[in-house]
Every structure is written in structure tokens, then in C-alpha cells.
Amino acid sequence: MTAGRRDEELMRRCLELARRGEGRTAPDPMVGCVVADRRGRAVAEAWQGKGDGSCEARALERAGPRAAGGTLYTSIEPPRDACAAVSGSGVARAVIGMARPIARGGAAWLRRRGIDVSLGILADECAEANRAFAVWAREGRPWFTLKAAATLDGKVATWRGESKWVTGEAARAEGHRWRDAHDAILVGVGTVLADDPSLTVRGVAGGRDPVRVVIDSRLRVPDGAALLRARGTARRGARARVIVAAARRAPSARERRLRAAGAEVWRLPSGAGRVDLGELARRLAAEGVASVLVEGGPTVHASMLEAGLVDEVRLVLAPMVLGGAGRRAAPGWAGGAGGDRLADAWRMRFAGEPRRLGEDLLLVLRPR
């Protein structure tokens, strides 16, 4: 096997390791690391977890003297503190997947200390794995994944509001895996009032609940709502964090009741009675939230699209048609005022191939 092919093989292993930390590293990136000895044999590996410190340093510690003259593989450019561990380990070479979006310079620092550095091995794959971290670092906001389950004609419920269940068990199980892989989940108060969801992760081995965020300008969330009572996967009976984003003029009595029930209430700027989503995004980023799954209902979906905050759409289509018109028109997955012309449409591109989830079909799209 050529050196180039071996580099790619071990970088793919770094990516496999990095994904073990998905949803658990923010605000740090997902990182995977492999140490190979001077003969090219993998002798140690590690991946980034929250609060674990440098995974490069941990992999090198596990390799011990076998790292001397060998190669360090890591999926993202190491920060300066990790570079010190690399240069002191005796490795002759470092193979790096992608440059850091911010605070770069680790690769150059290693070169100045005599280490042969190859930067950009499987760079596109490494950047895709850390797309949320890149948006958080560069734009100061989380990556937003909008998720919707709809019929073939785009309806999320009947005209009477029945929505359980549009899609099948396989799609619902996949939705729980998506929750587990995101730092937070976001819905509108309309979803809370209509469905009383717990917004926890269920059926995922080793799963953990994301931060639950509700957009509720007037603080209408009931203090007995399921999301305030649910303990889900939280340890020792603790509730997962709940944030209610409200307008500054929301009633103080309602805020006191929600705080007593365990919620955090964030009063944010608003216009036309709607919470400023850009300000909410900045506040979440400041709290270390790098990825958000939006399950918000048609109104929230449209608001996110209007605000230019949607990075990806995961649309699950069920093989059924509801139809309806006039007073019996069923709601679509994106509400809002809608456009008068095709030129007003939110334009998307397909990202990857459609995928079957049981009887349903998953489409992944990103804004053009």
C-alpha cells in the first residue's frame, strides 16, 4: 500500500473516531486521532469528548515510546497546547485532515520544530464532520438542522390537527438519533400546546437529552408541560435543561411560574410580537451550543427560513396524500406568508442521495 493510500485509510479511521463524540464536544470540534509507529502500524487512538482535553495528547500518551519516529494522524489542526505534546512525543510526521476555522497556526508551529506536516488529507470529509463547529466559530451562531415529517403533498397534519403518526417507526427512531447528535432541540410554543412533547431521546444506546429550547414570545408554556417534567436520559433524576425564549414584555407572573417549574427564561428583543431569532442564535452560541435540531412546526420553520438561519433540511416523506383545500386545507411543513412569485421561493439543493427509512423517504437539502 502506498503512503498516500495509507494516509487516507488512517484518516478515515480518525473520522470514525471523531463521530463518536457527535453532540458531545461543543463548543470544541469533533476530533479523532491515530498514532502509527515508524512502520506505519496503528498503535494508539483517541477521540474528543467534552472536557477530555487534547485527544492528540491522550493518543500519544497511550502510544508511549512507540510514537518515536512514527506519524500522528488527526482530523483537525491541533491547537497550540496539543502541538506541544506532539512535538515532545518524538513523532517524525503529522498528517492533518483540515485547518482550524479559527485560531490556526498549529501546522506551521509543528513545521518550525522539524516535524513533516501534511495538511488537507480528506479535507472535505473532515470539514463536513465539523460543519457545526465551523459555523459556530466563524459566524457566532449554531448550525441549524430543520427536521420535518410530511406526506407526499407536504402536509404535516390533517386539517383537524391529527399528526400522530405521519411517518413510521423507522423514521421516528432516526429522529431520536438526530436529537442525540445535536446540542439542542428547538420548537415553537404552538407545538408544545398542541402535542405536549417531552423532547427527550428514547431508544438510543448511550443517548443523552439535548437542551430543549421553546420559542414563546408571550410565555404560554404551561408550568406542567411534559418537557418540564421529563427526565429522559438525564442522570440521577435530573431534568435536562429547558430554555424558554420570550419577548421582553412577556408577563412577569408567567416567568415566575416557569422558573419555579425548572425552566430558564430568556427575555430577548422582539419585533411584531416575535422573538428575534438572530439574537436567540447568538445567545445559544455564547452558551456553547453549536448545533440545533429544529422540530418547530410550520410557523417556526418559516421564521427560521426567513431569518436565513437554516443550514440543512431533513425532510421525511411518507407515502400518503392528504389533499384538502379551503377550510379543510391541511398545514404544510413550512408556513408563513409565502411568496407571490417563484423568485421568492427559498432555493435548496439536494445534499446526498435520498434514503429509505422503512416505508418513508429521507431527503436532505441545503440552501443554495
Side-chain angles (χ1 to χ4, degrees), residues 9 44 51 64 100 137 203 234 247 286 312:
E9 179 184 274
R100 279 192 168 249
E312 182 171 284

Side-chain angles (χ1 to χ4, degrees), residues 1 15 37 60 68 98 129 152 172 217 259 267 270 309 367:
M1 182 182 294
L15 284 168
D37 63 16
L60 289 165
M98 64 175 283
L152 290 177
R172 296 199 296 275
S217 59
R259 289 189 181 278
R267 290 185 177 270
S270 61
L309 290 173

Side-chain angles (χ1 to χ4, degrees), residues 159-160 323-330:
W159 70 278
R160 291 182 180 274
R327 294 176 65 182
R328 296 175 65 92

Side-chain angles (χ1 to χ4, degrees), residues 7-219:
D7 285 351
E8 290 191 2
E9 179 184 274
L10 291 182
M11 187 57 68
R12 291 192 193 282
R13 177 57 181 165
C14 288
L15 284 168
E16 291 175 2
L17 294 167
R19 291 190 181 96
R20 295 184 182 183
E22 191 171 25
R24 291 155 174 78
T25 65
D28 296 320
M30 294 190 298
V31 190
C33 182
V34 175
V35 179
D37 63 16
R38 62 177 68 247
R39 295 184 180 181
R41 298 173 300 190
V43 295
E45 58 188 28
W47 64 90
Q48 187 69 43
K50 195 172 185 67
D52 283 348
S54 162
C55 71
E56 291 90 353
R58 284 187 287 112
L60 289 165
E61 182 179 2
R62 291 167 183 169
R66 295 174 294 177
T71 303
L72 172 85
Y73 294 84
T74 184
S75 55
I76 190 169
E77 185 178 17
R80 192 63 59 85
D81 59 341
C83 286
V86 176
S87 65
S89 68
V91 296
R93 186 168 173 251
V95 178
I96 301 169
M98 64 175 283
R100 279 192 168 249
I102 56 172
R104 299 181 182 181
W109 192 91
L110 291 173
R111 288 191 180 107
R112 289 195 296 270
R113 281 150 183 81
I115 294 175
D116 178 19
V117 176
S118 297
L119 177 62
I121 307 301
L122 300 185
D124 289 344
E125 290 91 332
C126 292
E128 175 65 17
N130 269 310
R131 61 193 184 276
F133 172 73
V135 167
W136 178 87
R138 291 173 177 152
E139 300 184 29
R141 68 168 180 85
W143 168 283
F144 289 98
T145 303
L146 190 157
K147 174 245 181 178
T151 62
L152 290 177
D153 52 340
K155 310 301 184 181
V156 296
T158 68
W159 70 278
R160 291 182 180 274
E162 181 187 352
S163 61
K164 292 184 179 179
W165 296 101
V166 171
T167 53
E169 290 185 8
R172 296 199 296 275
E174 187 74 359
H176 281 280
R177 287 189 283 272
W178 295 341
R179 288 181 180 182
D180 178 63
H182 285 75
D183 300 324
I185 180 171
L186 183 149
V187 300
V189 66
T191 296
V192 175
L193 295 174
D195 300 334
D196 195 23
S198 63
L199 303 180
T200 55
V201 170
R202 299 181 294 279
V204 178
R208 63 94 185 91
D209 295 330
V211 175
R212 279 85 56 80
V213 183
V214 183
I215 299 173
D216 181 10
S217 59
R218 292 181 288 159
L219 292 178

Side-chain angles (χ1 to χ4, degrees), residues 311-334:
D311 298 291
E312 182 171 284
V313 174
R314 297 181 187 177
L315 179 60
V316 183
L317 295 178
M320 68 173 77
V321 176
L322 275 176
R327 294 176 65 182
R328 296 175 65 92
W333 64 267

